[in-house]
Amino acid sequence: FASNIIMANTQNKCGNTMSSGLQGCGFLLNNLPCGASGNVNYGNQTIVQSSSDRNTLQEKEDLDRYLASSMKGLSVEDRTLALEQVHGAAPAEQENSLMLIQRLGEMESHLTKLKTKGSAYHIAWTENSAYVSDRNLRLMFLRSNRYDSKAAAEQMIRFFELKKVLFGAEKLAKDIVFQDLSAD
């Protein structure tokens, strides 16, 4: 599976080139804009899609058939993985307690670096450090950022800044409940 890599390059009218690579499957070029051209490399084979007006539709259909047949040759697991990669929904890293402890420690380190006096995060921390350092709250940010501790820390900082704008500093270190919402 890992040895079959398909690269798809497309070039739009402005001359900008975009590339996409997928392991084990094809990248369908159904929606190339008018005037676009592209190549698909599969192993040692290259399929060229030109922008000439004649046969463009036929070339797209041939390319789609070839790529569809390549997809059919994959196992269900490989096809599912490839489609998840295309749609940005590839399975996340397997979660285990050792990895979580490590990533939570890294997140704490990033938060310490990002915490500035007077920031919404700092205000919430001084008001109720137990709320801000709650493991479940931090895990929510880690999981939503696919265990990238730096991204999770940055998102958590932004979360508290937005929470301060929307609900005020007095609600920073508390869960927002229905009664906190107004008609505005």
Side-chain angles (χ1 to χ4, degrees):
F1 171 67
S3 63
N4 294 337
I5 297 178
I6 294 181
M7 290 299 298
N9 298 317
T10 60
Q11 188 171 42
N12 65 15
K13 291 183 228 182
C14 303
N16 299 327
T17 301
M18 300 160 286
S19 299
S20 294
L22 301 174
Q23 293 183 341
C25 76
F27 181 77
L28 300 179
L29 299 174
N30 269 337
N31 299 316
L32 282 176
C34 184
S37 64
N39 326 324
V40 174
N41 300 315
Y42 182 72
N44 295 332
Q45 303 173 7
T46 300
I47 299 175
V48 177
Q49 184 167 1
S50 70
S51 62
S52 67
D53 289 337
R54 65 179 196 273
N55 299 328
T56 301
L57 180 59
Q58 182 62 43
E59 290 171 358
K60 284 183 184 179
E61 290 172 356
D62 290 345
L63 180 62
D64 286 342
R65 271 193 294 280
Y66 175 76
L67 295 174
S69 70
S70 297
M71 285 286 288
K72 285 181 184 177
L74 297 174
S75 69
V76 173
E77 294 83 19
D78 289 346
R79 189 176 323 136
T80 301
L81 180 61
L83 290 172
E84 286 172 344
Q85 288 173 344
V86 167
H87 297 288
E93 185 176 335
Q94 281 301 106
E95 191 174 286
N96 64 56
S97 59
L98 183 61
M99 183 266 294
L100 287 179
I101 291 169
Q102 177 188 1
R103 299 293 164 82
L104 285 168
E106 292 170 1
M107 186 177 174
E108 176 63 33
S109 175
H110 290 299
L111 285 168
T112 302
K113 291 176 190 173
L114 295 171
K115 180 171 59 173
T116 58
K117 193 169 185 168
S119 69
Y121 179 80
H122 184 263
I123 293 168
W125 179 265
T126 55
E127 197 173 301
N128 185 353
S129 63
Y131 176 81
V132 176
S133 61
D134 180 66
R135 178 181 167 93
N136 290 327
L137 179 67
R138 291 185 177 198
L139 281 175
M140 179 178 65
F141 289 101
L142 266 175
R143 289 175 177 143
S144 70
N145 286 282
R146 297 182 170 260
Y147 305 100
D148 180 339
S149 55
K150 184 177 181 187
E154 291 169 351
Q155 184 183 19
M156 192 170 182
I157 296 289
R158 288 190 309 270
F159 165 77
F160 280 106
E161 292 297 333
L162 184 59
K163 192 174 182 182
K164 181 181 175 187
V165 169
L166 295 175
F167 301 104
E170 64 277 356
K171 300 287 183 182
L172 278 174
K174 299 177 183 172
D175 287 329
I176 302 301
V177 294
F178 187 73
Q179 289 79 12
D180 296 325
L181 302 176
S182 66
D184 299 336

